[in-house]
Amino acid sequence: MWNDSTSGSLRVIFDVLPSDQSTNPEIVNSTLMLHLKERVLCNCPDDADLERISIKVLQYLKPLRRRSRARGRSNRLNVVRQRVLWTSMVPWVSNTWVSVPVHQAANDWIVLNRRNHGFEVLVYDQYDQPIHSSVVFSGIECRQQAELDCMEAFLDLNPLLRNTSPILRVFKSESPFVNQRKKREVPNEYSQPSPVRPEGTQK
């Protein structure tokens, strides 16, 4: 389900660890960065339809999974609970990055210690028609065999090799002592989705 290519959306989950509450963590800034692919032009009137695209980013509030069979009923999808974090019309400029503010999600996971179920990204053209995310965004760059999870060790993290996987950047401040006035900023960058699949999913 999580890797269902027919959904047309981009689903990513990052291995984000909660902070020690004794440090009084506070999210300063959190940004999800998505890389736009080369826009293929056909030199036809339809080219203008994709000059600008609508991007919608949602946070999963519960795991995307199927219910187990019960009382003779076949497996069926759970009700999907999501929160809209950001939506905007942006120009589709080839080989550039879109920065999406996701402060609320980072606060849930790091400060409030709530479970992380990942993001879903949807794309539409100027007429509100859905576009498959694989056409617009670069996916996870993995050099490992397809039957194995894409672990950090197999990812191209060298910027010189033009890694274009989704990135989550989080800056937080901490004040370990109650009476301490100044807080120290602790940057974190998550440059690849977690290899651990969401609860209830199967390969």
Side-chain angles (χ1 to χ4, degrees):
M1 291 175 55
W2 183 261
N3 298 316
D4 181 11
S5 60
T6 62
S7 69
S9 64
L10 173 66
R11 295 168 180 165
V12 289
I13 185 168
F14 299 88
D15 192 7
V16 180
L17 299 178
S19 288
D20 184 349
Q21 294 303 305
S22 65
T23 63
N24 299 312
E26 181 180 340
I27 302 299
V28 177
N29 183 41
S30 180
T31 305
L32 174 65
M33 300 186 65
L34 303 169
H35 184 265
L36 295 174
K37 286 183 173 180
E38 184 83 23
R39 186 161 69 94
V40 180
L41 302 178
C42 62
N43 296 321
C44 55
D46 291 341
D47 285 344
D49 295 346
L50 295 178
E51 288 181 353
R52 301 182 71 216
I53 53 177
S54 174
I55 301 176
K56 184 177 184 179
V57 178
L58 304 101
Q59 174 192 355
Y60 280 106
L61 300 179
K62 64 185 300 186
L64 182 65
R65 62 184 178 184
R66 291 187 182 275
R67 292 178 180 173
S68 59
R69 296 190 178 188
R71 298 180 181 178
R73 297 180 181 178
S74 59
N75 288 354
R76 55 199 178 105
L77 290 176
N78 261 343
V79 176
V80 178
R81 288 193 60 199
Q82 295 175 303
R83 172 195 293 151
V84 177
L85 297 177
W86 184 82
T87 181
S88 180
M89 289 287 294
V90 300
W92 185 350
V93 181
S94 300
N95 295 317
T96 59
W97 291 85
V98 175
S99 298
V100 179
V102 290
H103 181 281
Q104 194 170 14
N107 189 74
D108 283 351
W109 304 333
I110 297 174
V111 178
L112 301 180
N113 197 17
R114 292 176 178 168
R115 298 192 65 178
N116 170 15
H117 302 297
F119 299 109
E120 181 170 35
V121 184
L122 304 171
V123 192
Y124 304 89
D125 65 16
Q126 296 183 74
Y127 301 101
D128 203 31
Q129 296 301 308
I131 307 173
H132 201 289
S133 61
S134 63
V135 176
V136 179
F137 298 116
S138 300
I140 305 167
E141 296 186 359
C142 186
R143 302 292 183 262
Q144 183 62 333
Q145 300 174 8
E147 63 269 17
L148 298 179
D149 287 336
C150 193
M151 305 289 287
E152 183 176 359
F154 306 120
L155 284 168
D156 255 338
L157 298 183
N158 187 339
L160 298 178
L161 298 179
R162 298 179 61 83
N163 173 53
T164 56
S165 298
I167 296 173
L168 177 63
R169 288 180 174 170
V170 179
F171 290 86
K172 65 179 179 179
S173 62
E174 296 179 342
S175 54
F177 304 103
V178 176
N179 296 325
Q180 183 175 335
R181 293 184 178 180
K182 294 185 178 180
K183 294 187 175 183
R184 58 189 181 92
E185 290 190 2
V186 182
N188 291 281
E189 181 171 305
Y190 306 92
S191 53
Q192 54 101 17
S194 168
V196 179
R197 297 178 181 274
E199 180 182 348
T201 61
Q202 297 180 349
K203 289 188 177 181

